[in-house]
Amino acid sequence: MTRDELKKIGEAEQERIRKYRHQVHVCMASGCHALRSDKVRTGLQAEAKKQGREGEVLVKRVGCLGLCSRGPLVLEDQSRIHTGVAPEEAGTLLRSLGEPEAAGGEPLPLDHPFFKGQRKIVMEHSGAIDPERIEEYIAVGGYEQMLAAIIDMAPEAVIDQVTRSGLRGRGGAGYPTGLKWSTVAKAGGGDKYVICNADEGDPGAFMDRSVMESTPHQLIEGMIIAGYAVGANHGVIYVRAEYPLAIARLEKAIGQAEKMGLLGRNIGATRFSFDLQLRYGAGAFVTGEETALIASVEGRRGTPRSRPPYPAERGLWGRPTLINNVETLANVVPILKNGGDWYAGIGAEKSRGTKVFALVGRVNNVGLIEVPLGITLREIIEGPGGGIPGGRKFKAVQTGGPSGGCIPEASLDLPVDYESLVQAGSIMGSGGMIVMDETSCMVDVAKYFMQFCMSESCGKCIPCRVGTVQMHHLLEKMTTGSATGRDLEMLEELCDLARHASLCGLGQSAPNPVLSTLRYFRDEYLAHIDEKRCPAGVCTMGAGG
Amino acid sequence: MTEMGHGRLTEEERREIAAEIAGSEYPRAAASDALKIVQRHRGWVGGEIVEVAAMLGMAPAELESVATWYSLIFREPVGRHVILICDSVSCWITGYRALLDHLTGRLGIGLGGTTADARFTLLPVACLGACEQAPAMMVDEDLHGDLTPEKIDAILEQYP
C-alpha cells in the first residue's frame, strides 16, 4: 500500500458518503448494543427503504457516542442526538430528519452540557465512523501518519514528537511515554515487541473497551508507529475475555489491515515489517500488571514478578518490550498528525493533553467523556455529569479503581492531574470516576474494594495474600457493628504494612481506598465502631461479624 | 481435587489446537487458547488437559497452574449457560446485592453453583466494564444491563 493508493481509497470513500443528504449514525458500542441498538439500525434501514429514501439517507453503524446511560443513541447529521430510540420510532425519526422539530426518542442538541466542555482527541472519530470498515477510517486520514512516519521520519524523530507532547501513560501510573519509548529503542538489537495492555480491569472503568469497539484502527495504527519508533516488528494486543464485542472488532480490523498491506511484511514498500497478534485474558485482574501480563502471554500463570529488570530491557520471551495501554497508544496518531507541541499546549502543566473518563454511579449523565487534564472535579461532575440525581447530596468521587481513593466535597475544586490526585490520596488510574451520594457508606465502599483486592490477589506474596484477608475481616467487623477501637488501629497498621511490603502494585495500593476514606470520612468509621451506627443506612449493624 | 471427566481430545480439537500452536512463536504461548478450544467444545476442561499439555510441550501440572489461574477457564462441569454477575463497584452501589439474592433464590444455587438440571452456572465477575448500565450481568457472551429482578426473570427465559 503506497500513500497514493491510500489516498485513493480515502477519496473514494468520501465520495460514497457525500452522495447522501442525511447521515444517521447508530451507536453500536457495548452500551447501546445491549439495549438492542442493532434493532434500531435494522429498523431505520428498513424504513429508509420503505420510504424510498435509500439513496439519500445513510444509516450506519458507529462507535460510542458517549452518553451511554441514555441509549440507544442515534446521531443525526452532526446536528442532534436522539436518545432512548425505540425500533418502532424509526419511521418518525426518518421523517423528521433536518426538520426544526425533531422526533424519535428524546432529541438533545449538541450544545447540551454533556457534550460542551469536552475536547475529543482520542475519541475524535468515535461515533463518526463505522468501526468495522477500514475505508471509513482511511477517509478521515487513517494510516496516513503511519505511512508518513515509516517513509519520511527517522525513529528518533517519531520518539521526539511523543516526548515533546508530554504524553504520560494512561493506564494509571503516568510514566512519561516518550521516555519509555526511548528506553526500549535504546535496548539491544534483535527481536523486540510492542504489547498493548487491553486488560482493562479496574472496576468502574470502560474507556479502553470503548476505544477498541469504536476506533480499533486508531489503536492498530498507533501500535505500528510505536513498533517502528522502538524497532519492534511484532505486536501483541492482550484483551480481556469479558469484552467479546471489542475482540470481534479488533479481529476484523487486524484482518482488514493485513489484507490492505498496512500490517505485515514491508509496509508501504519500506523495509519495515510489523505483525500483530491478539491474545486473550480469561478473567484475572492482576494480569493487567505488566510483568504478569507478559507471563500470561508466554503461557505461564499470570502472576507478577519483581522489577527490575523492567520489560523495556527484558520483557516478552526475554526480549526488550514496550507495554502501553490502549488509550496511550490511541493518542499517538493525533500527536503525530498535529505535532507534539500542539498536544503539549492542551491540558495542565505536568499532565498534558486530554483524558477519557468513565463517569458512573450517582450522577445524572452516565457515560464516557474526554476532557482536557487540569479541569476540576466539580467542572466534570456538574458539567458533563449534570450533577447528582434526585436532589441528593454529593458525597465523594472515587478515582483510580482499587488502587485509588475517595475524594470528598471539600476537594471538588481540585484540578484533575496526576500529582494533585495523588496529593488528595487517590490516583488518576485508568479513568474510572465513580460518583457517590449520601446513600453510599464509605466504610462499605472501602470494604468493597478490599474484597476486590482480596479475591484478585494472586497469592504470591504474603503481605497482600494475608493482609487483604485480614483487612477485609476488620472492615467486615466494622460494617456489622462488632468492631472496637483496637480494630481500627490494627487496620491502619495493616494498611501501612501491605503498602510497603507487597510485591506489586495490587498489594501496595490495596490500602488506598481505606486510607483515603479514613482521611476524609473518619467520622463514619467512628460512628460504625463507637455508636454501632451506619450514617448512610447501608450497613446492617448487629448482623454478626 | 479437580474432578476428572472427559477423556481424549477429538480430531477436531487436536486440529484447532495445532493451528493455534502453529501461529504462536513458542508452543506454550497457545496455552490459554488451547484450553479455551477444549472449553468451547465441551463446556469445561477435564482430563484431556494431559493431552493438551503434551501438545504444548508442558508438564500437565504446569498447564494445570495456568488453567486454575483464570476464573473463566472451568475445571469443573458447568451448566449449559454461564451467568457472570458483575460485582464491581458501580453494580455494588446500584443494587447488586438484591439482584444476587434474587438470582440465588430463583435458581436455588449460590455463587459457583450449577442448577440441578445443568441449565445455569452462576459466577461472580470482577467487572464487566458495563458500568453505564449497572447493575449488569453477562449470560454466555450476551451483556444485559440496568437489571431489575423482573428483568432477570425475563432474561433467564431466553436461555433454555
Side-chain angles (χ1 to χ4, degrees):
Chain A
M1 171 78 63
T2 64
R3 275 191 279 195
D4 281 344
E5 287 165 347
L6 188 79
K7 205 168 156 214
K8 281 202 188 98
I9 294 172
E11 284 168 357
E13 183 67 14
Q14 286 166 357
E15 191 56 35
R16 182 185 81 87
I17 292 169
R18 207 176 296 132
K19 284 199 309 234
Y20 295 95
R21 204 170 130 222
H22 295 291
Q23 287 204 35
V24 178
H25 294 183
V26 185
C27 177
M28 302 273 279
S30 274
C32 290
H33 198 264
L35 297 167
R36 304 315 307 266
S37 60
D38 54 332
K39 287 199 171 150
V40 175
R41 177 168 162 249
T42 46
L44 285 164
Q45 282 167 334
E47 192 60 39
K49 198 170 179 183
K50 204 171 119 195
Q51 295 182 12
R53 298 167 72 192
E54 287 164 293
E56 68 157 26
V57 178
L58 173 66
V59 176
K60 77 176 186 188
R61 170 203 303 120
V62 295
C64 187
L65 285 166
L67 193 47
C68 309
S69 57
R70 307 237 199 129
L73 301 174
V74 176
L75 171 66
E76 171 192 339
D77 290 331
Q78 305 292 334
S79 67
R80 56 194 173 202
I81 283 194
H82 299 255
T83 66
V85 180
E88 309 78 63
E89 295 176 297
T92 29
L93 195 153
L94 283 189
R95 273 187 290 273
S96 83
L97 288 178
E99 300 293 328
E101 197 72 14
E106 193 191 323
L108 291 181
L110 290 182
D111 59 0
H112 182 272
F114 179 79
F115 306 103
K116 258 196 333 200
Q118 289 201 50
R119 169 115 196 218
K120 302 213 168 176
I121 293 176
V122 170
M123 291 171 66
E124 185 190 352
H125 304 301
S126 182
I129 60 172
D130 183 340
E132 299 191 13
R133 283 177 57 85
I134 190 171
E135 295 83 359
E136 291 208 17
Y137 181 63
I138 293 172
V140 295
Y143 289 105
E144 263 176 38
Q145 300 309 316
M146 184 273 285
L147 286 183
I150 66 172
I151 294 170
D152 296 335
M153 291 170 82
E156 300 78 38
V158 176
I159 296 176
D160 184 52
Q161 289 300 323
V162 175
T163 306
R164 291 163 82 105
S165 75
L167 177 66
R168 295 170 65 175
R170 298 295 192 233
Y175 191 80
T177 306
L179 187 55
K180 203 184 232 184
W181 285 28
S182 61
T183 310
V184 179
K186 283 178 200 146
D191 275 345
K192 294 182 194 176
Y193 295 89
V194 175
I195 297 181
C196 169
N197 185 347
D199 195 39
E200 177 175 64
D202 273 5
F206 53 96
M207 302 75 48
D208 295 346
R209 184 201 79 193
S210 179
V211 169
M212 293 184 278
E213 288 174 355
S214 306
T215 50
H217 286 289
Q218 188 173 333
L219 171 63
I220 294 169
E221 188 182 0
M223 282 190 79
I224 305 170
I225 293 170
Y228 174 72
V230 304
N233 301 109
H234 313 287
V236 176
I237 303 178
Y238 186 90
V239 55
R240 66 200 298 252
E242 289 88 340
Y243 287 175
L245 187 61
I247 290 172
R249 297 232 165 114
L250 282 171
E251 277 173 352
K252 198 163 197 171
I254 290 173
Q256 290 169 343
E258 282 172 348
K259 208 169 157 198
M260 285 201 176
L262 293 163
L263 267 177
R265 297 197 62 78
N266 304 105
I267 300 171
T270 67
R271 290 170 60 196
F272 178 65
S273 301
F274 192 78
D275 57 61
L276 193 51
Q277 276 193 9
L278 274 179
R279 287 282 168 205
Y280 315 107
F285 173 76
V286 76
T287 302
E289 196 277 343
E290 58 182 14
T291 60
L293 192 151
I294 287 171
S296 180
V297 175
E298 291 178 347
R300 291 184 287 120
R301 197 172 164 90
T303 56
R305 62 161 172 81
S306 55
R307 301 172 298 183
Y310 285 89
E313 307 150 51
R314 283 182 63 81
L316 184 58
W317 308 116
R319 305 298 313 161
T321 301
L322 173 73
I323 301 196
N324 278 143
N325 118 305
V326 173
E327 192 183 333
T328 312
L329 289 163
N331 268 303
V332 170
V333 175
I335 286 172
L336 283 200
K337 185 173 172 188
N338 302 293
D341 293 335
W342 163 83
Y343 193 84
I346 301 161
E349 178 72 32
K350 285 184 183 159
S351 303
R352 309 291 190 180
T354 58
K355 176 85 192 77
V356 184
F357 290 102
L359 196 55
V360 300
R362 301 293 189 190
V363 63
N364 273 314
N365 302 325
V366 167
L368 274 190
I369 56 163
E370 182 172 358
V371 288
L373 287 167
I375 190 174
T376 67
L377 285 165
R378 188 186 302 281
E379 284 169 322
I380 291 178
I381 292 164
E382 291 176 1
I388 314 298
R392 283 194 292 267
K393 208 172 158 309
F394 170 87
K395 186 169 194 176
V397 56
Q398 207 277 346
T399 69
S403 312
C406 292
I407 297 166
E409 162 99 58
S411 303
L412 269 188
D413 292 309
L414 195 76
V416 177
D417 61 58
Y418 289 94
E419 281 71 27
S420 300
L421 287 173
V422 169
Q423 267 173 26
S426 187
I427 60 165
M428 177 81 75
S430 59
M433 216 171 244
I434 302 141
V435 180
M436 302 176 200
D437 64 15
E438 57 206 355
T439 62
S440 290
C441 166
M442 292 296 114
V443 187
D444 181 60
V445 168
K447 186 177 80 174
Y448 161 77
F449 280 109
M450 195 54 73
Q451 180 181 308
F452 179 89
C453 292
M454 177 177 79
S455 50
E456 296 299 334
S457 172
C458 78
K460 189 166 173 175
C461 75
I462 297 169
C464 175
R465 181 179 73 224
V466 181
T468 52
V469 173
Q470 292 305 323
M471 288 188 280
H472 181 262
H473 175 64
L474 293 168
L475 289 161
E476 181 74 33
K477 279 173 86 176
M478 292 175 192
T479 53
T480 50
S482 60
T484 63
R486 175 70 192 123
D487 290 323
L488 184 58
E489 279 171 40
M490 267 168 51
L491 180 64
E492 291 185 292
E493 281 169 30
L494 279 171
C495 282
D496 187 59
L497 189 138
R499 167 177 267 191
H500 290 105
S502 296
L503 174 66
C504 83
L506 183 105
Q508 288 161 10
S509 60
N512 286 2
V514 177
L515 291 170
S516 72
T517 46
L518 268 171
R519 175 167 159 189
Y520 297 116
F521 302 95
R522 202 175 184 92
D523 290 357
E524 270 191 55
Y525 279 83
L526 294 177
H528 283 77
I529 295 164
D530 299 337
E531 302 165 37
K532 313 288 177 212
R533 182 175 69 82
C534 174
V538 172
C539 304
T540 322
M541 307 306 262
Chain B
M1 274 304 287
T2 309
E3 193 179 322
M4 295 295 247
H6 306 309
R8 312 270 307 168
L9 291 173
T10 63
E11 268 314 303
E12 196 185 352
E13 286 167 327
R14 291 192 74 88
R15 213 168 33 242
E16 286 180 36
I17 294 170
E20 263 319 316
I21 291 173
S24 304
E25 285 184 89
Y26 299 87
R28 62 176 307 148
S32 67
D33 293 300
L35 293 167
K36 280 187 207 164
I37 287 168
V38 177
Q39 184 161 302
R40 199 177 64 240
H41 285 282
R42 302 165 187 256
W44 61 288
V45 182
E48 55 282 346
I49 195 168
V50 178
E51 243 184 293
V52 178
M55 289 182 77
L56 295 165
M58 293 168 80
E62 211 182 352
L63 186 59
E64 180 75 62
S65 82
V66 174
T68 54
W69 170 248
Y70 298 105
S71 53
L72 297 179
I73 288 176
F74 310 131
R75 287 290 281 120
E76 284 175 43
V78 291
R80 292 193 295 285
H81 306 287
V82 175
I83 303 173
L84 298 175
I85 179 148
C86 183
D87 63 2
S88 162
V89 61
S90 317
C91 295
W92 184 275
I93 63 174
T94 50
Y96 153 80
R97 269 169 287 198
L99 291 179
L100 180 64
D101 288 346
H102 180 77
L103 260 176
T104 51
R106 201 188 134 107
L107 298 173
I109 51 173
L111 281 174
T114 299
T115 53
D117 60 359
R119 185 170 157 202
F120 291 112
T121 293
L122 179 63
L123 294 172
V125 66
C127 184
L128 288 172
C131 314
E132 77 278 13
Q133 38 185 323
M137 68 179 190
M138 194 175 257
V139 186
D140 302 333
E141 288 205 339
D142 308 327
L143 185 61
H144 300 280
D146 296 318
L147 297 174
T148 60
E150 299 73 44
K151 250 178 122 169
I152 285 183
D153 291 346
I155 290 164
L156 294 182
E157 291 307 312
Q158 299 167 26
Y159 299 91

